[in-house]
């Protein structure tokens, strides 16, 4: 199931070129009219070339203008079931309804993130971590759990990964970073002061900086060399940023697999060694 095309176009507004932005704004303002247009007609309406229309379509993950119109037609004739939903959960919800809503929001977050994620940034992040002497991870509040999970994964493939929940300890370690280190921040909003300060400090010392955050402009983005994007958190009651956490973990799992692939055959020995030593404790 694909994310509603108009929502996707809106979410990607900050990533369009000036020409693509004009096309995006026209499509968002006139979706019904676009359905009856040819590529040439839309290009004329947007005062651009037909090639620009095709580039815009590809930017939103569609190979042709015909495909864009098909997605628009589907959305315009199928109402969004979440449009009138004021709060994600209600006290009168049954257990089945609660489960359905939780799963639905998690699935939606994964679908949206898969369409927004820049895979070249994933590959660049994997390369940076692969080449680093040390990787320092930080996330405030709920993001700290995601940072800890990432540390466990990196340790398993013999990467020197560190995670300090205490902000003062993290500030001390960041002050000693070098150009051979990576600082990886996880922040749903990208506005957490501690995250922004740590990114600034890490960058000033020459370390590569990676940020995992949601799709929207934020102070933290300005200080990251590499940005991994998840979909926006639900605008209503966040209840522990549930869907954001699921999306974060999926992105980091993707990054971990790409990192293992970059390491090649050498990755198998530490994986087997760590598995064996843990299994011995179970026996």
């Amino acid at each position: 199931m694909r994310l509603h095309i108009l929502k996707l176009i809106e979410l990607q507004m900050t990533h369009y070129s000036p020409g693509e932005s004009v096309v995006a704004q026209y499509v968002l303002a006139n979706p019904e009219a676009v359905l009856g247009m040819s590529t040439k007609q839309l290009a004329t309406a947007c005062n651009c070339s037909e090639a620009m229309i095709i580039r815009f379509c590809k930017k939103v993950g569609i190979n042709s203008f015909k495909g864009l119109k098909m997605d628009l037609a589907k959305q315009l004739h199928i109402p969004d079931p979440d449009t009138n939903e004021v709060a994600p959960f209600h006290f009168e919800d049954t257990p089945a309804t609660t489960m359905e809503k939780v799963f639905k929001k998690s699935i939606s977050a994964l679908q949206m993130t898969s369409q927004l994620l820049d895979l070249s940034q994933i590959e660049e992040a994997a390369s940076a971590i692969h080449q680093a002497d040390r990787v320092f991870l930080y996330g405030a509040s709920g993001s700290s759990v995601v940072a800890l999970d990432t540390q466990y994964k990196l340790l398993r493939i013999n990467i020197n990964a560190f995670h300090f929940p205490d902000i003062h300890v993290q500030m001390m370690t960041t002050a000693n970073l070098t150009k051979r280190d990576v600082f990886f921040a996880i922040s749903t909003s990208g506005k957490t002061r501690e995250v922004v300060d740590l990114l600034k400090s890490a960058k000033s010392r020459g370390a590569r900086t990676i940020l995992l955050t949601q799709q929207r402009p934020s102070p933290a983005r300005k200080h990251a060399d590499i940005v991994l994007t998840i979909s926006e958190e639900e605008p209503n009651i966040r209840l522990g940023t549930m869907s954001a956490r699921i999306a974060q973990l999926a992105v980091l799992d993707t990054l971990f697999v790409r990192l293992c692939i970059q390491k090649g055959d050498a990755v198998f020995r530490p994986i087997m060694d760590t598995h064996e030593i843990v299994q011995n404790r179970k026996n």
Side-chain angles (χ1 to χ4, degrees), residues 88-89 101-102 105-106 109 233-234 237-249:
F89 305 105
K101 286 183 176 181
V102 170
K105 286 192 175 294
S106 295
E233 177 67 12
E234 57 270 15
I237 301 173
R238 289 173 58 173
L239 293 179
T241 62
M242 292 183 295
S243 61
R245 185 184 69 252
I246 294 295
Q248 288 171 341
L249 290 170

Side-chain angles (χ1 to χ4, degrees), residues 95-280:
T97 301
T98 300
M99 181 188 70
E100 182 181 359
K101 286 183 176 181
V102 170
F103 277 60
K104 181 178 178 181
K105 286 192 175 294
S106 295
I107 292 169
S108 176
L110 291 171
Q111 291 170 339
M112 293 169 68
T113 297
S114 70
Q115 295 172 45
L116 293 170
L117 190 61
D118 186 340
L119 296 180
S120 67
Q121 293 284 280
I122 283 283
E123 201 70 0
E124 189 174 350
S127 296
I129 293 172
H130 180 39
Q131 297 166 15
D133 287 343
R134 302 176 298 175
V135 178
F136 291 86
L137 301 119
Y138 182 76
S141 189
S143 295
S144 179
V145 178
V146 180
L148 182 61
D149 179 77
T150 307
Q151 182 200 21
Y152 289 160
K153 287 184 172 68
L154 296 181
L155 288 174
R156 188 167 187 193
I157 56 175
N158 201 27
I159 289 178
N160 293 321
F162 304 89
H163 166 61
F164 302 105
D166 187 299
I167 183 61
H168 296 97
V169 176
Q170 185 66 67
M171 289 172 67
M172 286 189 291
T173 57
T174 304
N176 292 315
L177 294 179
T178 72
K179 294 180 180 180
R180 294 287 301 169
D181 296 324
V182 164
F183 177 73
F184 196 148
I186 301 168
S187 174
T188 302
S189 68
K191 299 178 181 179
T192 306
R193 180 176 177 180
E194 292 90 338
V195 170
V196 176
D197 289 345
L198 288 169
L199 282 167
K200 286 182 182 179
S201 178
K203 199 170 181 65
S204 71
R205 285 156 177 77
R208 293 297 300 278
T209 53
I210 304 174
L211 172 67
L212 175 60
T213 189
Q214 65 183 189
Q215 166 74 15
R216 67 171 58 174
S218 68
R221 281 179 172 267
K222 300 175 183 178
H223 306 289
D225 298 314
I226 303 168
V227 180
L228 308 179
T229 300
I230 63 169
S231 62
E232 288 191 38
E233 177 67 12
E234 57 270 15
N236 302 306
I237 301 173
R238 289 173 58 173
L239 293 179
T241 62
M242 292 183 295
S243 61
R245 185 184 69 252
I246 294 295
Q248 288 171 341
L249 290 170
V251 170
L252 290 168
D253 282 348
T254 303
L255 173 61
F256 178 71
V257 174
R258 291 308 304 169
L259 180 57
C260 288
I261 290 173
Q262 287 192 16
K263 288 177 75 68
D265 291 342
V267 79
F268 292 110
R269 173 47 55 191
I271 286 179
M272 292 303 296
D273 288 345
T274 53
H275 174 75
E276 182 178 345
I277 198 167
V278 172
Q279 286 300 114
N280 288 339

Side-chain angles (χ1 to χ4, degrees), residues 82 84-91 93 101 105 235-237 239:
D82 290 330
N84 297 318
E85 188 176 288
V86 176
F89 305 105
H90 304 282
F91 291 118
D93 285 347
K101 286 183 176 181
K105 286 192 175 294
N236 302 306
I237 301 173
L239 293 179

